[in-house]
Amino acid sequence: AAPGVLSRFRGALVGSVLGDCIGGEFEGAVDVPLDRVLQHLSALEDETRGDGILQYSDDTAMMRCVADSLLTRMAFDERDMARRFAKEYNLAPGRGYGSGVIQVLRKLASPHLKDVFQPAQAQFGGRGSFGNGGAMRAAPLALAFKSRADVCKYSRFGAMLTHSCSLGYNGAALQALAVHLSLQGALALPKEFINKLISEMEEMEKDEKAQLDAKALNLSEFPYCSRLHRVKELMDRNSVSIEEVISELGNGIAALQSVPTAIFCVLHCLEPRDGLPERFGGLERTISYSLALGGDTDTIACMAGAIAGAHYGIDSIPQSWQKSCEGVEEADDLARRLYNFYCLPQFEE
Ligand code: F2R
Ligand code: MG
Ligand code: MG
């Protein structure tokens, strides 16, 4: 039976944390043989290891700030969210943040800062960051808002606190939309799912700033749409090698090289795949496959884990995986509270 809505909410945030914690092992690795991935995963079943042994990184630290801010303010409040990012970084700076975003987080800590979007706008000589830091923390925005328009709007604003390049904030909107559609059961029809994402991104990428940013970076006019078309082509193929996925979609720290990739991982793993154990359910397949791509594995697995978790629900996630990862209980609690918030009558459009 299809999971209930609460189960999907819990699956989304817990899946995101698992991807981050489990994927951290291979972040930055160029070549990750599937055997090594499976070895890493089978070690999670060893009960002699301590609970929460795999620590979360910046992906989860910032996702928690987004969820806490939405729940405390009961709305999107950019000043509150910015303050939480800065405070979290100050408390635990060693969570593996991007080297550029650290400067933004330091500036956001200033009590004299008037415009919380300004530090992000000053990044990279005024061009802004195109990293995937806005996308990796976007899942709670998909859980909090009911309409597709609000999910897009607030995921973009949430990302703009650190990423002012449109490639950065549009990547966050794409990730939030994928989680939003998955929560609604849209992955039951994979072709329609990808077509909906393409048509939403077509609207977003028509924007003047998006066009200018794409041109400045020597990209095609509609960069996310063209990657999503490649996802669609790869979906139609009977067999796709890891090398082809990396060369067609990327596995890097840029949002453009990782958000469509995470979406592909979910779509590809809707069915059993060669090399992955038959006993694995869809969420286990998705996370394993994301790790085997190498590159920015914690973040690709975190984003794929959120989309897959929203599709398969919390019961699809092995207890041993949940126990092995730091911050799972807190993510589960945040998901339950976001569900209650989502159900509030005053929150209707
Ligand atoms: N930072 C990492 N991993 C690196 C190693 C961590 C290390 N192992 C450790 O444990 O300490 N991971 C995390 O960073 C990614 C998210 O990054 P975010 O938040 O987008 O940061 P930033 O700094 O804005 O962008 C990342 C890099 O992208 C390049 N870049 C971005 N915009 C650019 C532009 N306009 N021009 C040129 N380069 C640009 C820069 O190299 C940035 O540093 C996640 O993977 C998370 O897990
Ligand atoms: Mg990280
Ligand atoms: Mg990463």
Side-chain angles (χ1 to χ4, degrees):
V5 182
L6 175 59
S7 173
R8 290 179 186 272
F9 270 58
R10 296 172 62 202
L13 292 203
V14 171
S16 157
V17 174
L18 289 187
D20 178 19
C21 292
I22 298 174
E25 172 80 5
F26 303 110
E27 193 187 21
V30 176
D31 190 15
V32 184
L34 206 47
D35 284 359
R36 272 194 65 207
V37 171
L38 298 177
Q39 223 172 35
H40 177 51
L41 292 171
S42 69
L44 305 184
E45 282 154 31
D46 177 354
E47 288 179 1
T48 62
R49 285 168 38 134
D51 287 352
I53 190 97
L54 299 176
Q55 294 189 340
Y56 66 76
S57 75
D58 55 334
D59 306 46
T60 300
M62 296 192 92
M63 180 277 278
R64 285 168 57 148
C65 294
V66 171
D68 279 331
S69 178
L70 292 167
L71 287 163
T72 308
R73 304 297 301 154
M74 297 189 76
F76 177 80
D77 177 339
E78 63 270 21
R79 292 193 73 81
D80 180 78
M81 202 175 278
R83 192 182 54 77
R84 285 172 196 274
F85 289 156
K87 194 170 165 201
E88 170 60 34
Y89 173 68
N90 189 43
L91 282 171
R95 293 266 188 200
Y97 286 84
S99 53
V101 79
I102 288 170
Q103 296 168 46
V104 180
L105 298 173
R106 289 192 180 127
K107 289 182 190 171
L108 289 177
S110 165
H112 307 295
L113 185 70
K114 291 226 164 56
D115 176 3
V116 287
F117 293 105
Q118 190 280 326
Q121 289 160 6
Q123 289 295 94
F124 299 100
R127 297 185 306 278
S129 172
F130 51 61
N132 55 18
M136 72 190 183
R137 61 179 191 246
L141 291 144
L143 272 55
F145 295 100
K146 282 199 169 89
S147 78
R148 228 183 271 181
D150 279 350
V151 170
C152 288
K153 177 165 121 189
Y154 294 117
S155 54
R156 289 169 103 206
F157 282 151
M160 280 177 201
L161 290 168
T162 48
H163 294 68
S164 74
C165 175
S166 59
L167 274 301
Y169 61 74
N170 282 345
L174 174 59
Q175 168 64 13
L177 272 171
V179 175
H180 175 75
L181 291 175
S182 177
L183 284 172
Q184 295 172 342
L187 276 165
L189 297 169
K191 281 276 162 61
E192 285 185 21
F193 175 85
I194 195 83
N195 286 338
K196 278 181 192 157
L197 290 178
I198 291 172
S199 70
E200 291 288 338
M201 294 316 288
E202 262 165 13
E203 284 307 307
M204 252 180 260
E205 296 195 305
K206 273 182 195 161
D207 174 82
E208 195 186 340
K209 169 131 171 60
Q211 297 273 314
L212 288 173
D213 286 348
K215 202 168 181 188
L217 290 164
N218 269 329
L219 298 166
S220 65
E221 249 186 303
F222 289 80
Y224 280 104
C225 292
S226 72
R227 293 274 158 144
L228 291 171
H229 279 291
R230 285 187 215 168
V231 168
K232 219 169 138 178
E233 282 160 25
L234 293 175
M235 277 167 76
D236 285 338
R237 301 247 308 268
N238 285 332
S239 111
V240 187
S241 71
I242 294 279
E243 291 73 22
E244 284 171 298
V245 177
I246 298 170
S247 81
E248 290 292 313
L249 304 176
N251 63 355
I253 206 165
L256 185 65
Q257 289 178 9
S258 49
V259 183
T261 312
I263 292 169
F264 174 75
C265 291
V266 179
L267 290 164
H268 185 70
C269 293
L270 286 170
E271 287 165 28
R273 291 290 166 191
D274 285 349
L276 294 175
E278 277 178 29
R279 68 188 154 82
F280 272 13
L283 184 126
E284 293 153 282
R285 286 195 296 270
T286 305
I287 291 190
S288 322
Y289 188 77
S290 310
L291 268 50
L293 296 180
D296 196 358
T297 48
D298 66 330
T299 305
I300 294 174
C302 162
M303 297 189 291
I307 304 166
H311 177 62
Y312 299 107
I314 190 72
D315 295 329
S316 70
I317 307 181
Q319 281 300 323
S320 61
W321 288 26
Q322 295 192 44
K323 275 197 177 150
S324 303
C325 299
E326 181 194 18
V328 163
E329 276 176 29
E330 290 84 349
D332 196 12
D333 180 55
L334 288 169
R336 288 172 187 275
R337 290 167 56 207
L338 280 165
Y339 173 74
N340 292 336
F341 176 55
Y342 180 87
C343 293
L344 286 176
Q346 66 263 34
F347 209 60
E348 295 286 348
E349 294 304 305

